[in-house]
Amino acid sequence: MSELTQEEIRRKRLAKLSVSPGQPGTNDGTSTSNSEAMSTSSARNISSAEEKKDVLEVAGAECRRDVKHDYKDVGTKKSRREDTSNEKQQQSLDSDQIESEQTSNFASLEFDSGIDTMEVDEIVTGCSIGNLSLPVDRIYSGNELVEAVLKISFTGNHQTMNSSVTDQKRLILFIKPSIGEIQRVSNDDDTTLSETISEIMIDILGRSTESIKGIADNVSEILSQTSILLNNSTLVLDEHVSIYFAYLLGCYTRVSSRILTSSVEQQVILNQISRIISRYSVLCMQGLFNGSTCVSPLIPFIVSREPIPDGFLMSLICLTASVSFNEFQSTFASTIRDVCTIVSQLSADSDLLVHCFEFLSVICSLNFEGTRPFCRLLVSMDYWCPNVISKAGGRELERLSILGTLLSPSFHYNDNSSLSERIVGDSSTDVIDVGLASMVENSQNLLRNTMFRLIHALVLCSDSRISTLSFIAACVTRNHSRSQLQYDESLVSCDGFLLNLLSIVYRLCVKVNPERVDSSYSVHPDCLIDMSESTRLHATRQQLSEWATSQSATSDIKPNFVTEIFILCVHLQHCALLPALRGLSQKQRARREVRNVISSMEQSESQWSGTPVAQHNRRMLAMLRDKATRIDRSLNMDRLALLGTTSLTVALEFHAKLADYILKVALPQHLVPTLPLPSEIPIPFAALPEFYMEDIAEFIIFIVQYAPHVIADSPYSNDIITFLVLFVATPRYVSNPYLIAKLIETLFVLNPSAQPSTGALYDAFLSHPLARNHICPSLIRFYTAVETTGSSNEFYDKFTIRFHITMLLKTMWPIPSHQQALKTDSTGKEFVRFVNMLTNDTTFLLDESLDSLKRIREEFEAKKDTVNWQGMAAEERESREQQFATDERVCRSYLTLANVTVDMLHYMSKDLPQPFLRGELIGRIAAMLNYNLNQLCGEKAREFKVAGARERYGFDARTTLDQLTDIYLHLDDASSTEREFAHAVVNDGRSYSGALFENAVSILGKNSVKPGSSIERFEIFSRALVEIAVDEQREDLGDMAPPEFRDPLMDTLMKDPVRLPSGIIMDRDIILRHLLNSSTDPFNRSSLTEDQLTPDNELKLQIKQWVEYNRSVKR
């Protein structure tokens, strides 16, 4: 008998079921493939029974043909796989590169459960179990088949199904007609097992959905939950398809639960049944029964959290991926897209959101023949990393890409304002509830853990690893503008998405060893990040170009994963974490400003309530209060999202690792950091972007202010301290002085006076072995170096930087090791320049502060005259109010700086007086002291008296006067027997007078500013000054000196003439004093140093002889 064709078999069978080929439901054409059947049916919904029957007949024929084809090829496939298994092993990540984590089970889905007995590869043409061999093509009687199908596949029994006897009887009655017809077919014709099972499936699925719904497990509840979720979605739920799919899943569950406990004959049947069920499930997922716009059949089970049968997804993967990747893609792509759509509609605190990520992470962990097909599917989808189509590349990536959609849910206010309203409400308190903070942190950690498992699976898979890293690089590139102080938020990704991604990348870097990170990665041709526009620590563009050329020989070596993920993490945190932290600080400032305006308007309400602007002011006040409420809600929500202990601890760990990496690059040959650093700066270090170092400093400053417990209890604190000390002590390694200033500020914020919680950490800094001998001299040198930074704001910036340095020196001065290091360094020129800058700053700061106090006093006096004040024009009054506010702000700022500067002069002049008495300095210090003493004790002293000045502005005249008079005594005590300092005080022709010092003694005694003994010492000093002044006046020869003996700059008699390279002769002390401020010739502005000065000994001798002669004559 010749073999029948597929069409002849179909026609013969349809005839026995009383369905002729010409009737609806038949197909006169040849057999169609799965994809063709799907394409013809996906354009419309299959509603009529005839259409459904026709589609099922085509699908059944395909299933039977595919099953036979698979059985014939399975032996060949299996042997081929065994022969080439070693060649197809998946490339695995190094254990040091990625932490291997076990993925939690998703519901009841277990990767290995039931697979061994259900996989296609285990079903061979001759099924052997024990000593019994049952051929698949054996012809079974109708009774055997009916019993197996009836009891196991379609109705279940008491051991495998939690249903009542009544329900089971109802199920049996439902399939009885189908069994009866199949009995007739199988009795009249030779029917193979797979064909018979397929006929049963066609017949049952051809019935009405209401009939099938009655035997599908929990289908009503599943459909109800899905419909509610998709109510406002673009996804369309096809209930008919969902019912079919629910029935297929129920059948699969009953079959898989029975296989291991069934007889050998039943196992053969059940394996065939599970195979057919899986094949129909694939067709269902490929859109055979619904339109292309309908939701994937798996979605209702994900949404309802209904358990998916063990091994079901794996069986679908085996069926589709073994054919081709396109077949697998057509089956599961819609599921991935639908899950992304659902995730985009969920809030960050949704349990379903976590459930969706668990589902995705589980399916991406499924392995088939050495690959992870779902990972490959994700990165091959159209919207994995869409091309930029506008200026808003960062926002596009977040809204349009797959991972952008999946990683967007967050607790940040801008990402979900309604969630913020639900969590924090209208609370305006500055203190966050501990319980609320813990709840948000736990929810955020849970969500990010599930996100991590998904990305971890993508990175583990060799097919998706490069695409995943490229996506992270795209996030960095398209959001680079976020690192700027000002940027357009509508063009970049939101904080939530980038911080979620950053938290994942942080965890991928947990086991990264900085020593394995390639320091030349920035010039590698395969570098994922374009660093060409980044400002480098010390390298010029030419140096970078030459270095890149020298590294071209190794460009063929591919970068390792450790290098790529570490560098990506550094750049990602630069455009994700730091902008978010700055945003939080900006919101705090905005809230403070708005509250101040509201408070000011409320306090002045009595003044404007009866004026024409009252209505306008009330509207403005209401708007400001509403704005304050929004800022409070936004700020409190962002604090909850950003200040979680877990996330900040992980970030601190990475910053410590980054600091270690920078040290390794700076000291490639040293196992332990040492000082001083090598004189030659390594080019890999010089080529590092500046923000590598700056981000460490900014992050530490932030957490010290907002979460000091994180760094105080951190085991990485010592690494951070070593990093800071090393580069503060070696500022020449960094071109940008502001970067060194940022490192100094970082040390400053650790001071217990600023943050009590970091006392132990600051003590560790003070006792650090590298800091003892190097940190104080370096701070002194940098104090003078910031005089000129090249910035347009350098004049004002230097005071803030010097304030930080002054405060650090004050805490280090009492420690003997630090004080000794500074005394050793005080003999050099740098310390002389430091004292000169200190003198300049004291004069300027006190002068500006007292001028501001004078204007403030005048304004207070003007306001006392209420008649004239109210009579002023509104514009003039407003202008004066603004100037008054400015004066108050300037006064507070300058007085803070002046107080610490005078304090440093006070303790240094006591313990280290000799540098202050150098010839080029002594005159300037004396003049500075006289000028400020005149400000406090002279005729104009009353102009600075303001009520409450100490509390409001920090002006304590008593303390300042006490310190200034002490400095006089310190330097006079340290002078030689010739009392050179007293002479310098008297020679100050601008401010010195005997009356000034008499008045100062009187004020000291009247106000008990100093102890009696100290006042007596100062009185003795003032009387000595009077005597010296008389002697100086008697022996003064300045007006008599010939022009060649006079200094051309100051017109005073020279004592130690020196010749400049330009040929001009000047007094040594005067030119050295000039060089302290400017290294130029004062006459032609050419470069000039002290080494270029030539002593004119002949002229010096002439001047000496002239002085001696004229003094003798004068006597």
Side-chain angles (χ1 to χ4, degrees):
M1 179 178 177
S2 62
E3 185 178 355
L4 296 176
T5 65
Q6 192 73 22
E7 177 62 18
E8 289 173 340
I9 294 174
R10 188 186 69 81
R11 289 176 177 274
K12 185 175 181 180
R13 199 146 296 137
L14 288 175
K16 291 185 178 182
L17 289 172
S18 301
V19 180
S20 64
Q23 290 177 323
T26 63
N27 187 348
D28 293 331
T30 58
S31 175
T32 348
S33 66
N34 293 349
S35 57
E36 291 170 343
M38 182 185 71
S39 63
T40 56
S41 62
S42 62
R44 57 179 173 31
N45 288 329
I46 300 185
S47 55
S48 66
E50 292 82 1
E51 288 178 313
K52 182 164 62 175
K53 193 72 175 179
D54 187 28
V55 170
L56 287 171
E57 283 296 327
V58 174
E62 284 298 314
C63 284
R64 292 189 297 271
R65 181 182 61 79
D66 291 345
V67 169
K68 283 187 175 183
H69 175 74
D70 290 341
Y71 287 160
K72 291 177 181 179
D73 293 347
V74 72
T76 305
K77 285 183 179 180
K78 186 173 182 180
S79 62
R80 188 184 304 124
R81 282 198 303 271
E82 290 174 350
D83 292 339
T84 61
S85 60
N86 292 331
E87 299 177 4
K88 288 191 174 183
Q89 287 183 350
Q90 180 186 8
Q91 180 183 358
S92 61
L93 297 177
D94 192 284
S95 59
D96 289 334
Q97 299 171 2
I98 292 199
E99 179 182 8
S100 178
E101 295 190 1
Q102 297 220 348
T103 308
S104 62
N105 290 339
F106 172 72
S108 61
L109 178 63
E110 297 177 2
F111 308 151
D112 300 325
S113 178
I115 299 301
D116 291 341
T117 57
M118 285 183 284
E119 281 186 343
V120 179
D121 298 341
E122 300 300 326
I123 304 174
V124 294
T125 307
C127 179
S128 297
I129 303 177
N131 296 324
L132 181 62
S133 178
L134 296 177
V136 172
D137 291 332
R138 170 192 162 180
I139 301 173
Y140 292 87
S141 68
N143 291 333
E144 282 183 304
L145 182 60
V146 168
E147 179 183 359
V149 172
L150 182 64
K151 188 174 181 181
I152 305 300
S153 302
F154 301 105
T155 64
N157 55 33
H158 291 291
Q159 286 80 24
T160 60
M161 183 174 175
N162 295 325
S163 58
S164 64
V165 176
T166 303
D167 291 336
Q168 293 188 45
K169 289 180 178 178
R170 176 172 55 81
L171 297 174
I172 293 172
L173 291 175
F174 173 77
I175 66 166
K176 191 172 182 180
S178 296
I179 297 298
E181 291 183 359
I182 297 304
Q183 272 188 285
R184 284 203 320 273
V185 174
S186 59
N187 288 334
D188 297 340
D189 189 21
D190 293 342
T191 306
T192 62
L193 179 61
S194 60
E195 292 172 337
T196 306
I197 297 171
S198 182
E199 293 292 352
I200 295 176
M201 190 64 68
I202 291 174
D203 187 71
I204 293 177
L205 293 180
R207 295 175 180 272
S208 67
T209 52
E210 287 299 322
S211 300
I212 301 176
K213 186 176 181 180
I215 62 170
D217 299 337
N218 301 328
V219 68
S220 298
E221 182 179 352
I222 293 173
L223 294 178
S224 175
Q225 294 183 31
T226 308
S227 298
I228 294 174
L229 179 68
L230 303 183
N231 187 34
N232 297 322
S233 171
T234 56
L235 300 177
V236 179
L237 175 65
D238 190 324
E239 292 192 2
H240 300 287
V241 176
S242 299
I243 292 171
Y244 296 150
F245 201 74
Y247 173 71
L248 291 171
L249 282 180
C251 293
Y252 190 94
T253 301
R254 290 187 289 274
V255 170
S256 60
S257 65
R258 185 68 180 180
I259 285 181
L260 296 179
T261 60
S262 299
S263 65
V264 176
E265 293 84 351
Q266 287 178 337
Q267 284 186 8
V268 175
I269 298 173
L270 293 174
N271 274 312
Q272 286 285 63
I273 293 173
S274 68
R275 172 76 174 194
I276 297 299
I277 293 171
S278 299
R279 183 63 78 175
Y280 274 93
S281 300
V282 168
L283 296 175
C284 190
M285 291 184 64
Q286 290 178 343
L288 182 66
F289 302 107
N290 64 323
S292 58
T293 59
C294 294
V295 71
S296 167
L298 270 176
I299 294 300
F301 293 87
I302 300 173
V303 169
S304 63
R305 301 175 182 80
E306 193 69 21
I308 297 177
D310 293 350
F312 177 73
L313 290 178
M314 196 66 214
S315 67
L316 302 189
I317 295 174
C318 293
L319 286 173
T320 55
S322 60
V323 176
S324 67
F325 178 73
N326 290 337
E327 182 77 6
F328 174 81
Q329 189 176 36
S330 65
T331 304
F332 290 102
S334 62
T335 303
I336 300 297
R337 284 193 295 267
D338 294 345
V339 170
C340 291
T341 302
I342 291 173
V343 167
S344 66
Q345 300 170 358
L346 300 174
S347 62
D349 62 342
S350 170
D351 292 338
L352 179 57
L353 182 64
V354 175
H355 189 73
C356 289
F357 275 106
E358 287 177 346
F359 171 78
L360 291 174
S361 61
V362 166
I363 63 175
C364 286
S365 300
L366 296 178
N367 192 297
F368 175 74
E369 293 187 348
T371 64
R372 298 189 178 198
F374 276 102
C375 293
R376 181 183 174 189
L377 173 60
L378 273 173
V379 301
S380 65
M381 297 180 74
D382 294 338
Y383 288 99
W384 169 256
C385 188
N387 295 326
V388 178
I389 57 177
S390 70
K391 293 181 180 179
R395 186 56 59 93
E396 290 173 9
L397 193 65
E398 177 185 354
R399 297 292 175 83
L400 301 180
S401 68
I402 294 175
L403 284 185
T405 302
L406 293 176
L407 301 182
S408 289
S410 78
F411 287 88
H412 288 265
Y413 179 81
N414 291 339
D415 294 336
N416 195 336
S417 58
S418 60
L419 176 63
S420 304
E421 294 175 6
R422 189 167 72 248
I423 293 178
V424 300
D426 295 331
S427 173
S428 59
T429 178
D430 294 340
V431 180
I432 298 297
D433 180 75
V434 176
L436 183 62
S438 177
M439 182 272 291
V440 172
E441 182 179 7
N442 291 337
S443 299
Q444 183 170 259
N445 290 342
L446 176 62
L447 177 61
R448 288 178 173 175
N449 286 341
T450 57
M451 290 177 174
F452 168 76
R453 286 195 287 270
L454 170 61
I455 305 301
H456 184 247
L458 291 173
V459 172
L460 282 174
C461 177
S462 59
D463 292 334
S464 57
R465 185 182 309 141
I466 295 177
S467 298
T468 304
L469 295 179
S470 298
F471 176 83
I472 299 173
C475 290
V476 172
T477 302
R478 301 185 192 184
N479 290 286
H480 70 280
S481 61
R482 280 175 55 95
S483 60
Q484 303 169 1
L485 293 179
Q486 300 291 334
Y487 61 91
D488 188 345
E489 293 184 1
S490 64
L491 302 182
V492 296
S493 302
C494 296
D495 289 341
F497 160 64
L498 291 175
L499 290 175
N500 285 338
L501 181 60
L502 179 62
S503 69
I504 294 168
V505 181
Y506 274 155
R507 291 187 61 180
L508 292 175
C509 292
V510 166
K511 289 192 174 182
V512 167
N513 184 352
E515 294 183 352
R516 298 190 58 192
V517 178
D518 185 4
S519 59
S520 63
Y521 179 69
S522 60
V523 294
H524 195 284
D526 293 335
C527 180
L528 294 173
I529 302 293
D530 181 11
M531 305 184 200
S532 58
E533 299 301 321
S534 298
T535 304
R536 310 306 173 107
L537 286 176
H538 203 276
T540 63
R541 290 188 178 274
Q542 182 179 355
Q543 288 174 323
L544 287 173
S545 177
E546 293 173 354
W547 183 46
T549 303
S550 67
Q551 295 295 315
S552 59
T554 60
S555 61
D556 294 338
I557 303 175
K558 294 295 182 182
N560 58 46
F561 174 80
V562 167
T563 298
E564 291 186 315
I565 197 63
F566 182 81
I567 299 300
L568 284 175
C569 190
V570 175
H571 286 257
L572 181 60
Q573 77 171 0
H574 181 59
C575 66
L577 180 62
L578 274 301
L581 301 183
R582 285 195 294 266
L584 188 66
S585 300
Q586 290 169 0
K587 287 180 181 179
Q588 282 210 321
R589 287 194 295 270
R591 178 171 69 174
R592 184 168 56 250
E593 292 172 359
V594 171
R595 285 181 175 180
N596 290 339
V597 174
I598 292 174
S599 176
S600 177
M601 292 187 68
E602 289 175 343
Q603 291 175 4
S604 62
E605 187 173 2
S606 59
Q607 301 176 12
W608 53 259
S609 58
T611 65
V613 298
Q615 186 176 1
H616 172 269
N617 285 356
R618 289 191 181 95
R619 286 198 303 268
M620 181 64 68
L621 194 57
M623 291 174 59
L624 288 172
R625 286 169 178 162
D626 181 63
K627 182 177 181 180
T629 300
R630 293 196 307 271
I631 293 176
D632 286 339
R633 186 184 298 131
S634 172
L635 178 60
N636 289 336
M637 195 65 208
D638 285 351
R639 287 173 64 188
L640 289 172
L642 278 172
L643 302 183
T645 300
T646 302
S647 57
L648 289 180
T649 301
V650 173
L652 178 62
E653 179 182 353
F654 182 80
H655 280 87
K657 191 166 292 186
L658 175 58
D660 188 28
Y661 168 70
I662 295 174
L663 291 177
K664 291 290 193 300
V665 178
L667 296 165
Q669 305 300 327
H670 297 75
L671 297 178
V672 179
T674 57
L675 282 174
L677 293 178
S679 57
E680 183 178 353
I681 303 174
I683 185 62
F685 171 83
L688 291 176
E690 268 188 7
F691 69 81
Y692 281 27
M693 191 175 289
E694 184 180 14
D695 286 357
I696 297 174
E698 285 199 9
F699 179 73
I700 295 172
I701 292 172
F702 177 86
I703 61 173
V704 167
Q705 180 180 357
Y706 290 92
H709 63 281
V710 172
I711 191 169
D713 303 331
S714 174
Y716 308 103
S717 301
N718 191 60
D719 296 337
I720 297 292
I721 294 297
T722 301
F723 167 80
L724 294 173
V725 169
L726 207 67
F727 292 107
V728 168
T730 320
R732 63 184 178 82
Y733 263 55
V734 179
S735 298
N736 185 358
Y738 286 100
L739 184 51
I740 298 298
K742 181 68 71 173
L743 300 182
I744 293 174
E745 182 185 359
T746 306
L747 291 173
F748 163 76
V749 299
L750 297 177
N751 194 324
S753 61
Q755 180 52 258
S757 302
T758 58
L761 189 59
Y762 193 71
D763 290 340
F765 155 64
L766 294 177
S767 60
H768 196 284
L770 295 179
R772 291 173 188 164
N773 299 322
H774 299 90
I775 201 70
C776 275
S778 296
L779 291 175
I780 293 296
R781 286 191 288 272
F782 194 71
Y783 189 101
T784 61
V786 296
E787 181 69 18
T788 54
T789 61
S791 169
S792 58
N793 296 322
E794 65 180 17
F795 181 77
Y796 299 99
D797 292 339
K798 69 180 180 182
F799 291 116
T800 302
I801 298 170
R802 286 173 175 172
F803 172 74
H804 296 151
I805 294 175
T806 303
M807 294 302 295
L808 288 173
L809 290 173
K810 182 178 181 179
T811 58
M812 289 186 283
W813 189 258
I815 302 174
S817 59
H818 290 290
Q819 188 176 135
Q820 184 58 44
L822 195 55
K823 288 181 178 179
T824 303
D825 193 64
S826 64
T827 57
K829 297 177 183 178
E830 286 296 334
F831 195 84
V832 175
R833 292 191 65 205
F834 162 72
V835 174
N836 179 66
M837 298 297 175
L838 199 61
T839 306
N840 293 344
D841 289 352
T842 304
T843 302
F844 173 80
L845 292 170
L846 280 176
D847 202 26
E848 288 294 315
S849 302
L850 295 178
D851 282 349
S852 298
L853 277 174
K854 180 180 177 181
R855 291 192 296 269
I856 290 170
R857 175 185 170 85
E858 292 173 351
E859 199 67 18
F860 275 130
E861 294 296 327
K863 288 182 178 180
K864 288 181 180 179
D865 188 353
T866 55
V867 176
N868 290 335
W869 182 260
Q870 293 297 333
M872 291 182 187
E875 294 80 4
E876 182 182 358
R877 212 169 38 241
E878 182 180 357
S879 174
R880 293 187 65 168
E881 288 284 4
Q882 291 177 354
Q883 182 60 44
F884 178 73
T886 301
D887 287 336
E888 286 195 310
R889 185 174 62 254
V890 169
C891 185
R892 275 191 294 267
S893 176
Y894 280 158
L895 276 173
T896 301
L897 298 171
N899 290 337
V900 298
T901 305
V902 172
D903 183 52
M904 184 161 62
L905 267 174
H906 181 259
Y907 65 74
M908 282 193 173
S909 63
K910 178 182 179 181
D911 298 327
L912 193 60
Q914 293 306 320
F916 294 83
L917 299 175
R918 291 176 63 110
E920 61 266 37
L921 291 175
I922 191 170
R924 299 205 67 226
I925 293 174
M928 179 271 293
L929 292 172
N930 290 344
Y931 176 78
N932 288 299
L933 186 66
N934 187 42
Q935 293 273 69
L936 297 175
C937 302
E939 297 178 356
K940 298 182 179 180
R942 297 182 60 86
E943 297 177 357
F944 311 123
K945 290 186 177 181
V946 178
R950 181 176 182 179
E951 294 75 18
R952 299 185 64 174
Y953 312 117
F955 178 58
D956 188 354
R958 291 169 54 89
T959 301
T960 304
L961 180 59
D962 181 30
Q963 291 178 331
L964 288 176
T965 52
D966 271 352
I967 295 172
Y968 279 108
L969 299 177
H970 294 162
L971 298 181
D972 183 56
D973 290 343
S975 300
S976 65
T977 55
E978 297 180 0
R979 305 194 74 169
E980 62 267 27
F981 178 70
H983 283 275
V985 171
V986 171
N987 289 333
D988 173 31
R990 177 187 180 189
S991 302
Y992 172 75
S993 69
L996 171 63
F997 278 81
E998 288 179 7
N999 193 31
V1001 172
S1002 175
I1003 292 175
L1004 290 173
K1006 185 189 301 183
N1007 296 283
S1008 300
V1009 175
K1010 302 172 76 70
S1013 58
S1014 298
I1015 296 176
E1016 184 179 353
R1017 287 180 59 206
F1018 189 76
E1019 186 177 6
I1020 295 172
F1021 174 71
S1022 65
R1023 287 199 298 265
L1025 293 178
V1026 174
E1027 296 175 359
I1028 293 173
V1030 173
D1031 294 340
E1032 288 283 346
Q1033 186 176 7
R1034 184 172 56 249
E1035 298 185 3
D1036 182 28
L1037 302 174
D1039 294 338
M1040 301 171 55
E1044 62 270 19
F1045 291 173
R1046 294 173 180 271
D1047 181 84
L1049 196 63
M1050 301 300 294
D1051 197 31
T1052 56
L1053 181 65
M1054 293 187 290
K1055 298 178 181 178
D1056 186 8
V1058 292
R1059 188 179 299 275
L1060 277 60
S1062 59
I1064 298 175
I1065 298 175
M1066 292 183 65
D1067 191 41
R1068 179 182 292 276
D1069 288 346
I1070 294 176
I1071 185 59
L1072 290 180
R1073 188 186 309 162
H1074 168 79
L1075 292 177
L1076 290 175
N1077 297 312
S1078 175
S1079 299
T1080 59
D1081 188 315
F1083 298 98
N1084 59 20
R1085 311 308 296 173
S1086 61
S1087 177
L1088 179 65
T1089 62
E1090 184 179 352
D1091 297 335
Q1092 295 176 288
L1093 303 178
T1094 305
D1096 193 332
N1097 295 324
E1098 183 180 351
L1099 181 59
K1100 181 178 180 180
L1101 179 59
Q1102 293 176 10
I1103 294 173
K1104 181 179 179 181
Q1105 293 173 348
W1106 182 87
V1107 169
E1108 290 176 352
Y1109 172 77
N1110 284 277
R1111 281 182 178 174
S1112 64
V1113 172
K1114 204 169 184 180
R1115 293 193 187 101

